[in-house]
């Protein structure tokens, strides 16, 4: 059953409050970070053309996770290079 008009991101996040209430305290903090991060993509979510924002909401969160992973991969490569450079010069 669809609502009479498209959901906003705030309404989508609010619709997950039962899920949020069932989380442990440390998981609630993760949820809050994820939803704050999804707001970075609110314009893209609105422009997705989806009546319900669930899919674009989670796509935004996945996008944030991917960016975080890429950043961590880059940092790991940088540290690996520093370690290898240290072995060859030391």
């Amino acid at each position: 059953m669809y609502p009479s008009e498209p959901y906003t991101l705030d309404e989508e996040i609010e619709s997950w409050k039962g899920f949020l209430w069932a989380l442990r305290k440390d998981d609630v903090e993760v949820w809050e970070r994820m939803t704050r991060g999804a707001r970075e993509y609110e314009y893209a979510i609105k422009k997705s053309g989806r009546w319900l924002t669930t899919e674009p909401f989670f796509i935004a969160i996945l996008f944030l996770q991917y960016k975080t992973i890429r950043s961590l991969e880059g940092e790991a490569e940088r540290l690996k290079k520093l370690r290898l450079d240290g072995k060859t010069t030391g």
Side-chain angles (χ1 to χ4, degrees):
M1 189 178 260
Y2 288 105
S4 59
E5 55 188 62
Y7 267 18
T8 66
L9 182 56
D10 287 333
E11 290 169 321
E12 183 63 45
I13 292 169
E14 177 67 17
S15 77
W16 284 87
K17 69 182 174 190
F19 177 79
L20 176 64
W21 290 338
L23 296 175
R24 294 183 313 245
K25 183 179 179 179
D26 57 331
D27 290 336
V28 169
E29 292 171 16
V30 171
W31 173 261
E32 289 172 352
R33 287 179 61 195
M34 287 175 21
T35 55
R36 276 194 310 272
R39 290 183 193 286
E40 290 181 34
Y41 301 98
E42 190 165 4
Y43 182 74
I45 289 169
K46 286 178 185 177
K47 290 299 187 180
S48 72
R50 304 285 179 149
W51 193 257
L52 297 173
T53 56
T54 302
E55 287 176 347
F57 170 65
F58 284 108
I59 292 296
I61 290 172
L62 287 171
F63 193 77
L64 287 164
Q65 294 299 306
Y66 180 76
K67 285 174 50 176
T68 300
I69 290 167
R70 291 296 306 255
S71 174
L72 291 171
E73 288 173 338
E75 182 65 11
E77 285 299 315
R78 186 185 72 77
L79 292 172
K80 182 178 173 182
K81 185 177 181 328
L82 283 173
R83 191 186 81 211
L84 290 175
D85 288 347
K87 283 185 179 179
T88 58
T89 60

